[in-house]
Amino acid sequence: MSSISASTPGQQQQQQSSIDDQVEELDDYSFYHHPTWSQRWPHPDFAEEAMKAWEKRPWSKHEYRLSRGFLCNTMPFLLPWGYIIYHTVYASESDKIWPLAMVKLTRYINDEIEQDLRLCLERYSDDPRPEQLVQESREDFLISDKEQWNSTGIEQIRRRFVDYRCETKIGMYRGCGRFAACKIIDELSPKSIIAAPEKDGYP
């Protein structure tokens, strides 16, 4: 199988933004959109007609395939899926290893998405497209503002994240996707990711 390139998603948005910014959509049938994003999330395979065509693909009958379950049961407001990431350290050393850590983290995430292809090779390996679609529909939102977030503590970010969930309404009542939890990149996080062992098959 040809995996998606192990790099930080090209659509990842890096904006100076406030956690109090609301998403524009508050219903089940619209893709997630943050007001600071310059454009709405585009993906041709997630257009309405393209998604209907999934029903004709053999993988749509793989009832226990994790990627199939994600694609067929996920409401539009959870797409693109991903995480809200707070960048809280802006030292020169951290800035240097930050991109490398994000690339490695993406490799780990992609590997987990592909687990059915490894464990059920004979059954699923002829069509890896559903795993690729899950990988391609990930778009993290990076909150990076040195003046606002430098050295901010976990509890303060936790409170601000809860406020954001309350503002979005959807996040308040749906404990899933980017609304279930956020990621915090502090001084130790990039170093820990870089030091983590590589898995078999990674370059």
Side-chain angles (χ1 to χ4, degrees):
M1 167 189 174
S2 297
S3 299
I4 301 301
S5 176
S7 60
T8 304
Q11 296 87 5
Q12 185 180 58
Q13 307 285 341
Q14 182 170 352
Q15 304 282 349
Q16 291 187 350
S17 59
S18 169
I19 195 59
D20 298 322
D21 290 335
Q22 293 190 38
V23 294
E24 293 182 4
E25 288 79 24
L26 299 177
D27 62 82
D28 289 343
Y29 303 102
S30 300
F31 290 136
Y32 174 88
H33 179 75
H34 196 281
T36 60
W37 289 1
S38 59
Q39 63 180 9
R40 293 184 177 275
W41 178 68
H43 195 299
D45 287 337
F46 285 88
E48 184 175 357
E49 290 302 317
M51 294 176 72
K52 288 181 180 179
W54 293 350
E55 299 175 1
K56 301 178 182 179
R57 300 298 300 270
W59 59 261
S60 69
K61 307 299 190 295
H62 296 161
E63 183 177 355
Y64 299 105
R65 191 171 182 173
L66 295 177
S67 58
R68 179 264 184 197
F70 177 88
L71 293 170
C72 295
N73 298 319
T74 297
M75 296 296 291
F77 77 90
L78 292 175
L79 294 171
W81 69 278
Y83 302 95
I84 294 176
I85 303 175
Y86 293 85
H87 189 189
T88 66
V89 176
Y90 297 86
S92 58
E93 180 183 3
S94 177
D95 289 344
K96 290 179 181 178
I97 65 175
W98 164 270
L100 300 176
M102 293 300 98
V103 167
K104 189 169 184 178
L105 183 61
T106 294
R107 290 205 300 267
Y108 269 70
I109 292 173
N110 284 346
D111 183 71
E112 289 301 311
I113 292 171
E114 296 170 0
Q115 61 180 285
D116 278 344
L117 296 178
R118 297 191 306 275
L119 299 177
C120 305
L121 186 62
E122 294 183 359
R123 183 183 302 177
Y124 299 143
S125 62
D126 60 326
D127 187 1
R129 188 56 183 154
E131 283 74 23
Q132 292 172 346
L133 285 172
V134 175
Q135 292 171 338
E136 292 171 12
S137 60
R138 171 176 164 238
E139 182 172 353
D140 296 331
F141 180 64
L142 175 62
I143 295 179
S144 182
D145 183 344
K146 184 175 182 179
E147 292 185 3
Q148 183 175 5
W149 300 107
N150 190 31
S151 300
T152 302
I154 291 178
E155 288 304 318
Q156 182 178 350
I157 290 179
R158 190 197 310 274
R159 290 194 297 270
R160 299 298 293 276
F161 183 65
V162 169
D163 290 343
Y164 176 69
R165 292 180 60 191
C166 292
E167 291 291 336
T168 62
K169 306 297 191 300
I170 284 179
M172 187 64 181
Y173 300 107
R174 311 293 175 84
C176 51
R178 71 180 73 244
F179 300 113
C182 63
K183 291 184 178 182
I184 301 174
I185 303 298
D186 57 16
E187 184 176 4
L188 296 178
S189 298
K191 297 178 182 178
S192 297
I193 295 171
I194 292 296
E198 292 283 7
K199 295 187 177 182
D200 293 340
Y202 287 162

